[in-house]
Amino acid sequence: MENNQYTDLIKRKQQITKQLAVLKKDKKVQEYLDLCNLYSTLTKEEKTLSKKLKSQEYSTCNHICCCSLVERDYQEGRTHRYYGCIKCGLNERILAKTANFTFSQIIKEHILNPDEEIMYNYLTSKSLSKKNIIPGNFELNRAIYLKINAKYPEIDDETALRYLKYALYKIQNISVNAKRKTSRALRLSLNPEFNKWD
Ligand SMILES: [Zn+2]
């Protein structure tokens, strides 16, 4: 039974190989294949370039940092704070996420997504400058900053921070019901369950 199945399969493959060889001689098909190859080459180049551009953005950003993760080591009685930049998104949290893995595990086991990998590579060679630190929740600060920046792309840091402070003031002083909190989270592209408004 399986023997027959195997013979049929091989025959079918041979047929297809012949059909492919005929099709390959067709000009339109050749054009299609060439375009597919070119497309995949361009996609590779795009990935390399976007990595470079992101790294460049990290190194030229005048970071505005905010604490993004607090980890308490109860055994050693120490607290470790990780910071992230609300402007470029560079976030030391990635170091906490990878702390228990070796470099080869991180690569082989796909611990990080491509964006996180760029961040990881950057932070393991350079440190995040924490000249400007602001209080509050990282996700919320970054979400508001991104909204401000989308509306005023040329805005300077000082003005952006003033707008940010005002937005936070309104969020923290005007009480709204749960439904409106959810829609506010969605407007800010935050998780709808986000609840660290204070
Ligand atoms: Zn930055």
Side-chain angles (χ1 to χ4, degrees), residues 15-59:
Q15 261 172 9
I16 291 176
T17 310
K18 276 184 203 160
Q19 282 171 307
L20 283 174
V22 175
L23 278 171
K24 254 189 168 175
K25 284 181 190 152
D26 187 287
K27 261 195 174 167
K28 277 282 167 208
V29 175
Q30 193 54 59
E31 196 184 326
Y32 172 81
L33 290 174
D34 287 346
L35 282 176
C36 284
N37 281 337
L38 183 60
Y39 191 85
S40 92
T41 310
L42 291 179
T43 306
K44 269 185 212 151
E45 277 174 30
E46 183 198 346
K47 272 188 195 156
T48 316
L49 262 181
S50 78
K51 267 188 200 173
K52 272 191 192 156
L53 284 173
K54 198 68 209 172
S55 268
Q56 236 168 50
E57 190 192 338
Y58 290 154
S59 62

Side-chain angles (χ1 to χ4, degrees), residues 12 15 59 77 91 107 110 132 136 141 154 183:
R12 184 85 186 100
Q15 261 172 9
S59 62
N91 197 333
I107 303 300
H110 302 289
N132 312 307
N141 279 332
E154 305 294 329
S183 66

